[in-house]
Amino acid sequence: AQKVTQAQTEISVVEKEDVTLDCVYETRDTTYYLFWYKQPPSGELVFLIRRNSFDEQNEISGRYSWNFQKSTSSFNFTITASQVVDSAVYFCALNSNYQLIWGAGTKLIIKP
Amino acid sequence: NAGVTQTPKFRILKIGQSMTLQCAQDMNHNYMYWYRQDPGMGLKLIYYSVGAGITDKGEVPNGYNVSRSTTEDFPLRLELAAPSQTSVYFCASSLSRVEPYEQYFGPGTRLTVT
């Protein structure tokens, strides 16, 4: 069965702290893709990153970084030096054929 | 490019009424999707389409219908609205299935059925 688990329902940190959002997935596919999306309070869904199963290199984009570990079926997302504008719900998703299987999301609250 | 557009943004329906949620994209994407997002939850796929004239059911298709007569448009029809269909509906599109590219989302339609 394909499944994505985001165990952290809500995280609250003070601005400038680092924060890591966890994502654990289950799949029988040998080739798959993982995604992170951001949903700010305004409600739209914003694509952040796509990673295929053959590429285990960590990725860094500014204050954002992603740690993909096939051995633990995890694709965690870290925000360094968080800012209030990072407050949002973050979703991890797994591609299964042409469908995205979504986690329940982690609500991130950054306090000033 | 306008990207993915959805209308209306908000709608209140009475139980048993019907309506069509409109979705259009101008990126020439073959793949289009309809999701619903219930409060505090992730997205669930209702229907998807791999091209004009081709549609298929997703995880939660009951109570909905779709059509895809053109590449650009992918309307979602609700027949006999029920309170369980109160949700936020997102339309999305993506470039290709050969390699699963990111999906681009519309702004959503917030639907309340009372």
Side-chain angles (χ1 to χ4, degrees):
Chain A
Q2 320 281 357
K3 187 179 178 182
V4 175
T5 302
Q6 295 180 257
Q8 304 150 309
T9 305
E10 183 174 306
I11 301 174
S12 181
V13 300
V14 176
E15 198 173 21
K16 298 183 183 173
E17 287 185 13
D18 298 346
V19 59
T20 295
L21 309 181
D22 297 333
C23 173
V24 174
Y25 62 92
E26 296 175 29
T27 181
R28 293 196 199 94
D29 295 341
T30 53
T31 302
Y32 52 90
Y33 289 76
L34 295 160
F35 298 77
W36 276 95
Y37 280 83
K38 174 182 180 180
Q39 187 174 41
S42 51
E44 74 271 25
L45 284 150
V46 179
F47 165 77
L48 294 177
I49 190 171
R50 175 185 68 153
R51 173 54 51 88
N52 75 50
S53 53
F54 296 112
D55 183 1
E56 287 195 72
Q57 280 195 347
N58 289 336
E59 176 133 356
I60 298 174
S61 176
R63 296 183 295 106
Y64 295 173
S65 63
W66 290 268
N67 184 335
F68 176 35
Q69 292 195 340
K70 286 179 76 170
S71 60
T72 57
S73 297
S74 65
F75 186 42
N76 296 337
F77 173 32
T78 296
I79 301 175
T80 303
S82 60
Q83 299 177 1
V84 173
V85 293
D86 296 326
S87 296
V89 179
Y90 290 86
F91 291 98
C92 180
L94 166 71
N95 174 268
S96 174
N97 281 329
Y98 32 74
Q99 300 184 33
L100 281 181
I101 309 298
W102 294 75
T106 296
K107 183 175 183 179
L108 178 62
I109 300 169
I110 311 296
K111 299 176 184 175
Chain B
N1 282 355
V4 180
T5 57
Q6 291 182 239
T7 55
K9 289 188 177 178
F10 303 95
R11 184 70 186 268
I12 299 175
L13 281 182
K14 294 188 187 302
I15 295 171
Q17 287 185 323
S18 300
M19 76 164 294
T20 299
L21 280 66
Q22 300 293 343
C23 174
Q25 53 91 9
D26 62 359
M27 297 175 283
N28 203 29
H29 285 173
N30 289 325
Y31 292 83
M32 295 188 75
Y33 313 83
W34 273 106
Y35 292 94
R36 60 177 286 173
Q37 184 181 27
D38 298 330
M41 306 291 286
L43 279 70
K44 293 189 176 180
L45 184 65
I46 305 171
Y47 271 95
Y48 65 95
S49 168
V50 303
I54 307 170
T55 63
D56 208 347
K57 297 177 180 177
E59 183 183 358
V60 290
N62 291 344
Y64 308 94
N65 273 301
V66 294
S67 59
R68 184 100 180 268
S69 57
T70 66
T71 300
E72 295 77 20
D73 301 300
F74 190 40
L76 177 72
R77 178 82 177 162
L78 278 73
E79 304 282 2
L80 299 174
S84 61
Q85 293 177 304
T86 294
S87 190
V88 179
Y89 291 83
F90 287 99
C91 179
S93 71
S94 64
L95 180 59
S96 171
R97 173 193 169 178
V98 174
E99 184 171 314
Y101 290 97
E102 61 271 23
Q103 295 181 12
Y104 293 84
F105 286 82
T109 295
R110 186 175 296 274
L111 176 67
T112 302
V113 181
T114 61

